Amino acid sequence: LAKTTQPISMDSYEGQEVNITCSHNNIATNDYITWYQQFPSQGPRFIIQGYKTKVTNEVASLFIPADRKSSTLSLPRVSLSDTAVYYCLVCNTDKLIFGTGTRLQVFP
Amino acid sequence: DTAVSQTPKYLVTQMGNDKSIKCEQNLGHDTMYWYKQDSKKFLKIMFSYNNKELIINETVPNRFSPKSPDKAHLNLHINSLELGDSAVYFCASSRIGTEPYEQYFGPGTRLTVT
């Protein structure tokens, strides 16, 4: 069963690029990798999803190496409002496993 | 317009009681989920329903029973509440498409069992 591991916390400053890595050594062939952002007292919010290589949208990039045993969420030029908990999720139609979450603190 | 709504937002009750949490989505999605987030912020899937059929049923006590009257609603009924049931419960929905696992989460229901 796929288990995901993330750093507990990270600190950054405004304007910097932040990379958060998630380890998922037992990922299955049909699993996708998805990342969510959660602010206090709110439900998680979808950021990005990928299967392999690189995916980019208007808010983030997701890098997935060929062996797919890890993935890296990249947030370009973070701002104070990016302070939140970030979760990676390994999922398919009958499995949804969230990581432990990484608390990102952005300082001015 | 609220996409995924849950009621109530807060629920305080005593051990042994039976309670329900309601969830509704107006996105036209065909899959709905219930998650439990504990005090350490771990998010764990409990159930998922696709078009009113149970798809995921993780190992949760059978005191928890999901009920889906139609594909826009997925309610969670909990019997004989225990202290360990205290948590935030999130409902979510998604549709199969380009981003099959893009889930929309509700605001959460904070359940406190005393």
Side-chain angles (χ1 to χ4, degrees), chain B residues 17-88:
Chain B
N17 285 347
D18 302 338
K19 291 293 179 184
S20 292
I21 307 172
K22 295 184 177 180
C23 178
E24 177 182 3
Q25 54 94 4
N26 62 5
L27 298 166
H29 289 171
D30 47 18
T31 305
M32 296 184 72
Y33 314 81
W34 275 109
Y35 287 88
K36 178 181 180 180
Q37 187 169 44
D38 61 21
S39 57
K40 296 183 178 178
K41 306 299 183 187
F42 294 139
L43 266 166
K44 187 168 167 46
I45 182 73
M46 299 174 70
F47 305 100
S48 80
Y49 266 74
N50 181 269
N51 281 324
K52 297 173 57 182
E53 288 191 32
L54 184 63
I55 303 298
I56 296 176
N57 183 5
E58 289 295 309
T59 306
V60 300
N62 57 15
R63 299 181 293 103
F64 291 80
S65 54
K67 288 184 171 52
S68 181
D70 55 61
K71 73 174 193 177
H73 296 83
L74 182 62
N75 303 324
L76 183 65
H77 189 76
I78 316 171
N79 290 326
S80 303
L81 278 154
E82 302 178 354
L83 293 176
D85 298 332
S86 295
V88 179

Side-chain angles (χ1 to χ4, degrees), chain A residues 36-54:
Chain A
Y36 284 81
Q37 175 192 56
Q38 186 178 27
F39 296 112
S41 301
Q42 293 185 23
R45 187 177 71 170
F46 174 87
I47 301 174
I48 197 167
Q49 177 179 271
Y51 183 79
K52 61 181 180 180
T53 63
K54 177 184 175 182

Side-chain angles (χ1 to χ4, degrees), chain A residues 78-99:
Chain A
V78 294
S79 64
L80 295 177
S81 62
D82 292 317
T83 294
V85 179
Y86 293 82
Y87 293 93
C88 72
L89 168 67
V90 170
C91 49
N92 60 43
T93 53
D94 59 2
K95 179 175 68 182
L96 291 158
I97 301 174
F98 271 87

Side-chain angles (χ1 to χ4, degrees), chain A residues 24-89:
Chain A
H24 28 79
N25 289 322
N26 296 327
I27 191 167
T29 304
N30 59 344
D31 287 343
Y32 280 76
I33 299 152
T34 311
W35 284 80
Y36 284 81
Q37 175 192 56
Q38 186 178 27
F39 296 112
S41 301
Q42 293 185 23
R45 187 177 71 170
F46 174 87
I47 301 174
I48 197 167
Q49 177 179 271
Y51 183 79
K52 61 181 180 180
T53 63
K54 177 184 175 182
V55 179
T56 298
N57 63 21
E58 63 276 10
V59 298
S61 293
L62 178 59
F63 299 92
I64 304 170
D67 66 8
R68 305 200 327 123
K69 294 185 176 184
S70 66
S71 58
T72 299
L73 174 72
S74 181
L75 304 172
R77 298 179 298 283
V78 294
S79 64
L80 295 177
S81 62
D82 292 317
T83 294
V85 179
Y86 293 82
Y87 293 93
C88 72
L89 168 67

